[in-house]
Amino acid sequence: MLDPASRLTPSRHRTGNPVADGPARVARVALVGVHGFGARHLDNLRRLEDDGAARLVAVADPRPPEDGTLGAGVGVFNNLEDLLAAGVAPDVVVIATPIQAHAPLAHAAIEAGADVYVEKPPVASMEQYDSLLAAADTAGVAVQTGFQSLGSAALDRLDDLVASGTLGSVRGVSALGTWVRTRGYFGRSRWAGKRTLDGVDVVDGVATNPLAHAVATALRVAGARKSSDVATVETDLYRAHDIECDDTSTIRVRTASGTVVMLALTLCAAEQTRPSVTLHGTQGTAVLYYTEDELAVTTAEGTVIEHFGRANLLKNLLEHRASGTPLLSPLACSGAFMRVLDAVRLAPPPQPIDPSYVTWIGDGDEAHPVLHGIEELLQRACLAQATIGELGPGWARPSSSSVSPSSLPLVLDGREVGSYRDGTAVSPFLSPRPYLHPVTTRRGVTVTDHFPADHVWHLGAGVAVQDVDGVNLWGGRTYRREAQGYVWRPDHGRITRTGLAQH
């Protein structure tokens, strides 16, 4: 039976304004979705109840939790509609359901006057995001997005490193994620691995769900929070699994301030490693292993490893309600992430990867694909700010800047031995210029490379001049006598093609 106390009317203080006419009561929380990640929310709610910060009054799930899972007096309902119709008046609704259900459930909670905690991704399209943001603003309620990594104190430390100039000027931000997902992972539910389901957007790709925290954290480090903070998004999406969505992708984001955020992500690695976000500076780098709140800062003086604490985002929402504490992951600051998600949603379907480049490990539902050389390829993508297509592995679709002009192939003895690239997509820090790659022998042996991890500014066969009147047309760092070594400087030029001639 429903606890009579759960029929109390919801608290009317919103957007962080504490109740002025008496002490705030313990916030009453309803949880929608108790399985999967919802089970973690149950554990978190138990801790918050023990601390006197919250009280779980009801849960909603078509598959009820096991007996003994909930405390006495917690109402159990099939769905949020039934929960609200029964007279439950939660102060906060936590949504931990499949992606496509986030938007309608969040709207229902807002209409009931509750603050909302919604798991990532918050919704499945930019249109849904704008609608939810407007509804929350009109109702005067708070909405927290479940990007737990944004509660890390390491982010404040990174802000300080940038502001102090410790790392020099920012050259870019990258996110690297090499994870493993089995066939069974995508078979666990109807929506897993889908771009749409029954005509409804799902957008369950590597960047939008499994490694969404890498995307959100990298954007936060780059200072991109609202949708207006993003200028452009370029996607390059692939899949080795037999699914609709992408499991291996590079996404290049340019922020409104000009910073490049390179996202290089896969679920087809040989083994799962710690995902990271790197801030690349002219005088050093800072690598945040966000799942562990570990920060490795490297400068000329060496590398320092620091560990940080992390705020509980639901507790942060409760504190926001009680005393106006700023939200750490407000819906309004998920706009930059939603720009990325929407670009993935609107992109052409991911290209299937030629099976000859993939080895499957294990059997049945435990089998997982390993994409040959993917770890090194994605590291190069981060360092060069280049997409998979621009790097040019044999299984990728050709980039628009790497197509040989059909009228001017480099041919020797009737065989094409060179591929022309115009260099337009090359990062400014690498001195963009036209070049040939791959160049092969007449027997087909490749003799050039481009964007190698140790010197990403080395580009196939072409013209690269170290210095022209103070302009670096070679790429990379510049030797400075006063520094007694090579340093990154804003001295890079660009070589462009002015014409083509056939001989």
Side-chain angles (χ1 to χ4, degrees):
M1 178 178 293
L2 190 65
D3 181 358
S6 68
R7 298 182 181 275
L8 296 173
T9 57
S11 170
R12 300 315 304 167
H13 58 90
R14 294 289 175 250
T15 62
N17 297 319
V19 175
D21 55 356
R25 59 184 173 82
V26 174
R28 299 151 37 72
V29 180
L31 173 63
V32 186
V34 298
H35 301 287
F37 203 82
R40 296 195 188 185
H41 280 288
L42 277 177
D43 291 338
N44 186 38
L45 282 162
R46 291 188 190 100
R47 290 188 291 268
L48 292 172
E49 283 190 316
D50 290 343
D51 293 340
R55 181 183 173 202
L56 179 63
V57 295
V59 300
D61 196 304
R63 183 159 58 98
E66 295 181 6
D67 292 342
T69 303
L70 305 176
V74 178
V76 179
F77 299 88
N78 259 349
N79 51 60
L80 180 60
E81 182 181 9
D82 290 348
L83 184 154
L84 296 173
V88 179
D91 297 308
V92 175
V93 173
V94 178
I95 299 171
T97 65
I99 300 167
Q100 66 273 21
H102 287 185
L105 290 171
H107 274 286
I110 288 171
E111 290 172 8
D115 291 326
V116 176
Y117 181 110
V118 59
E119 265 306 326
K120 57 79 184 168
V123 288
S125 73
M126 203 70 201
E127 181 181 4
Q128 290 179 353
Y129 174 77
D130 290 338
S131 175
L132 189 62
L133 197 62
D137 183 63
T138 298
V141 303
V143 180
Q144 181 98 293
T145 305
F147 287 117
Q148 291 89 0
S149 59
L150 301 189
S152 178
L155 295 173
D156 293 332
R157 172 64 171 148
L158 274 168
D159 289 342
D160 292 341
L161 289 170
V162 172
S164 66
T166 301
L167 302 176
S169 301
V170 175
R171 293 189 294 115
V173 175
S174 65
L176 176 64
T178 53
W179 276 13
V180 174
R181 286 297 181 266
T182 65
R183 184 180 282 122
Y185 172 82
F186 288 108
R188 72 192 190 280
S189 64
R190 288 184 66 230
W191 63 270
K194 295 289 196 299
R195 285 164 65 89
T196 63
L197 182 64
D198 300 330
V200 177
D201 287 318
V202 177
V203 202
D204 181 33
V206 59
T208 55
N209 194 13
L211 282 163
H213 282 90
V215 177
T217 307
L219 292 169
R220 161 65 177 80
V221 170
R225 305 186 187 189
K226 297 182 178 181
S227 59
S228 59
D229 293 332
V230 171
T232 61
V233 181
E234 302 167 75
T235 62
D236 198 14
L237 315 179
Y238 303 87
R239 62 173 179 84
H241 280 275
D242 184 18
I243 53 178
E244 290 182 3
C245 67
D246 55 312
D247 57 33
T248 300
S249 296
T250 47
I251 300 173
R252 183 164 52 207
V253 181
R254 285 184 170 85
T255 71
S257 63
T259 301
V260 172
V261 181
M262 199 68 216
L263 310 170
L265 313 168
T266 187
L267 304 177
C268 304
E271 60 182 24
Q272 186 150 315
T273 63
R274 298 189 297 173
S276 61
V277 170
T278 301
L279 193 154
H280 305 267
T282 56
Q283 297 179 24
T285 60
V287 183
L288 172 60
Y289 298 97
Y290 62 83
T291 58
E292 301 171 0
D293 302 306
E294 178 182 301
L295 186 64
V297 180
T298 301
T299 62
E301 285 71 42
T303 299
V304 176
I305 306 295
E306 302 176 76
H307 293 89
F308 297 85
R310 178 183 292 195
N312 182 308
L313 291 189
L314 180 53
K315 184 178 181 181
N316 171 242
L317 174 58
L318 298 173
E319 292 171 346
H320 174 79
R321 287 177 47 82
S323 61
T325 300
L327 291 177
L328 294 170
S329 182
L331 182 65
C333 289
S334 292
F337 173 86
M338 287 303 306
R339 286 286 303 277
V340 173
L341 180 146
D342 218 45
V344 171
R345 180 181 72 89
L346 296 173
Q351 176 165 303
I353 296 170
D354 185 331
S356 65
Y357 292 92
V358 179
T359 297
W360 281 84
I361 306 297
D363 300 309
D365 282 349
E366 295 305 311
H368 67 91
V370 176
L371 181 52
H372 305 166
I374 189 59
E375 293 87 353
E376 190 264 346
L377 184 73
L378 294 186
Q379 288 174 353
R380 290 169 58 203
C382 290
L383 293 171
Q385 296 180 346
T387 66
I388 289 172
E390 290 161 0
L391 293 175
W395 47 267
R397 62 170 65 88
S399 133
S400 61
S401 65
S402 63
V403 179
S404 298
S406 58
S407 59
L408 290 173
L410 182 60
V411 176
L412 181 62
D413 293 340
R415 178 189 180 98
E416 185 171 344
V417 295
S419 178
Y420 174 82
R421 297 170 183 259
D422 62 20
T424 55
V426 172
S427 166
F429 291 98
L430 309 182
S431 295
R433 56 198 182 272
Y435 63 100
L436 298 173
H437 176 76
V439 175
T440 68
T441 67
R442 283 176 291 186
R443 293 182 179 270
V445 178
T446 300
V447 295
T448 58
D449 195 4
H450 68 161
F451 304 121
D454 57 347
H455 291 78
V456 290
W457 51 90
H458 288 185
L459 304 175
V463 177
V465 185
Q466 191 171 32
D467 180 275
V468 177
D469 195 23
V471 177
N472 177 351
L473 296 172
W474 178 275
R477 296 171 295 173
T478 299
Y479 184 82
R480 301 296 293 178
R481 184 177 293 112
E482 66 274 16
Q484 296 186 342
Y486 288 88
V487 295
W488 286 100
R489 300 184 70 246
D491 61 353
H492 298 89
R494 174 184 292 268
I495 300 175
T496 59
R497 186 188 75 219
T498 58
L500 287 170
Q502 188 171 8
H503 298 285

